[in-house]
Amino acid sequence: MTGLLEVTAVRRVTPRTVRVTFTGEYLEALEAWPDQQLKLMFPPPGRPVRLPSADGDVMRWYQAFLAIPAEERPVMRSYTVRDRRPALAEIDVDFVLHGNAGGPATSWARTAAPGDVLGRYGPDAAYRRPLPVADTVLLAGDETAIPAVSSLLSEVDNAVVFLEVPDAAEEQPLPGDVHWLHRDDAPHGAALLDAVREAKLGDGSVSAWLAGEAGMVRALRRHLVGDRGLGKRDIEFTGYWRRKLTQDDAPTPEDLADAAEKLG
């Protein structure tokens, strides 16, 4: 479903996280499910949002999106719905501010204000994933995974949660027993991988949900499959972002292998 979103409120929930509240058509009827993702479309500087003039299946929609002239075509990025208020036709989306530079989404979020307008595609139930099922469910990720983990914890009551963030100021209130790991000056994902390696996950069945920086997610999967003996089908994973690369850059061989595994 395509439409426009208008910003109604902006607030910093941590020093590096901006929560933006949007309103828009059809949000009052938006079906809820955990880890609900949508695509946001950021217009070129000084231009209004131009949406594709096609509905129907995603491939036809995407072809119409690519047909928009490059100078008018929005930049598209995937985000997770952090919260929703159907009675007010509102959703919240959290933006993590990556460093001082960042791409178009980070740049937009730094100066976002009520009245700003973005485009959206979704959320589309075709991309809804089943909840992980096992005696123990491992949820692990970095700060970009917090919105999805928050929604999963509303449905999963046997989760062991590990979240790596830059420092203590980036922790957010979440239900359940969450193990917060502070990156400080260590490489991204090192603290998370160490903690998962040492975690006691019980004697029963285990499934895992992993999200965050793609290389970090890949390392976690290698550990869970190679060292813990989890089946590949027992791991739901998403590389939300790539160090030194954007969603506009060509996929690496590792990215292609990940995509093939998810489809297999």
Side-chain angles (χ1 to χ4, degrees):
M1 182 181 294
T2 304
L4 297 176
L5 294 173
E6 181 177 346
V7 176
T8 60
V10 179
R11 66 186 181 96
R12 286 283 181 108
V13 293
T14 73
R16 297 178 179 88
T17 303
V18 174
R19 181 163 298 159
V20 179
T21 299
F22 295 98
T23 189
E25 287 185 308
Y26 312 117
L27 293 184
E28 70 281 358
L30 182 64
E31 181 187 358
W33 63 84
D35 191 13
Q36 186 176 59
Q37 297 187 25
L38 78 165
K39 294 187 181 298
L40 297 178
M41 289 175 274
F42 301 84
R47 290 181 178 270
V49 182
R50 179 170 172 181
L51 300 177
S53 56
D55 294 315
D57 67 86
V58 64
M59 290 306 300
R60 188 169 67 174
W61 182 92
Y62 189 60
Q63 289 300 318
F65 173 79
L66 293 178
I68 298 173
E71 67 275 11
E72 300 178 19
R73 188 186 308 139
V75 173
M76 190 159 54
R77 294 290 184 265
S78 298
Y79 278 88
T80 305
V81 176
R82 180 64 171 79
D83 200 3
R84 60 186 61 76
R85 290 171 293 280
L88 300 175
E90 288 184 344
I91 59 171
D92 293 336
V93 177
D94 283 2
F95 293 80
V96 176
L97 306 181
H98 297 283
N100 294 322
T106 296
S107 299
W108 179 88
R110 288 186 192 280
T111 61
D116 290 348
V117 175
L118 298 182
R120 74 174 174 103
Y121 177 84
D124 188 337
Y127 296 98
R128 182 175 183 172
R129 304 294 293 179
L131 288 171
V133 177
D135 295 322
T136 299
V137 176
L138 170 67
L139 306 179
D142 61 18
E143 57 268 40
T144 62
I146 293 175
V149 168
S150 174
S151 67
L152 287 164
L153 287 174
S154 68
E155 300 288 339
V156 177
D157 59 7
N158 58 339
V160 177
V161 185
F162 293 90
L163 287 169
E164 181 186 289
V165 294
D167 50 45
E170 293 305 306
E171 296 183 14
Q172 296 184 32
L174 291 177
D177 183 18
V178 178
H179 302 274
W180 291 99
L181 309 165
H182 302 154
R183 190 175 307 127
D184 297 320
D185 296 323
H188 194 111
L192 181 60
L193 183 56
D194 286 345
V196 171
R197 281 173 174 157
E198 296 171 6
K200 299 185 186 304
L201 300 178
D203 297 326
S205 61
V206 176
S207 66
W209 180 98
L210 314 171
E213 194 279 322
M216 178 195 76
V217 170
R218 210 168 283 127
L220 288 168
R221 286 169 51 222
R222 282 197 295 265
H223 161 67
L224 292 173
V225 173
D227 301 330
R228 297 267 190 174
L230 267 68
K232 292 183 178 180
R233 298 281 187 182
D234 296 323
I235 304 172
E236 179 70 27
F237 66 92
T238 305
Y240 283 158
W241 60 285
R242 301 178 293 171
R243 259 176 288 189
K244 299 181 180 179
L245 295 172
T246 74
Q247 291 185 19
D248 300 320
D249 292 310
T252 65
E254 293 84 359
D255 296 330
L256 294 173
D258 290 346
E261 186 170 323
K262 288 176 77 74
L263 293 172

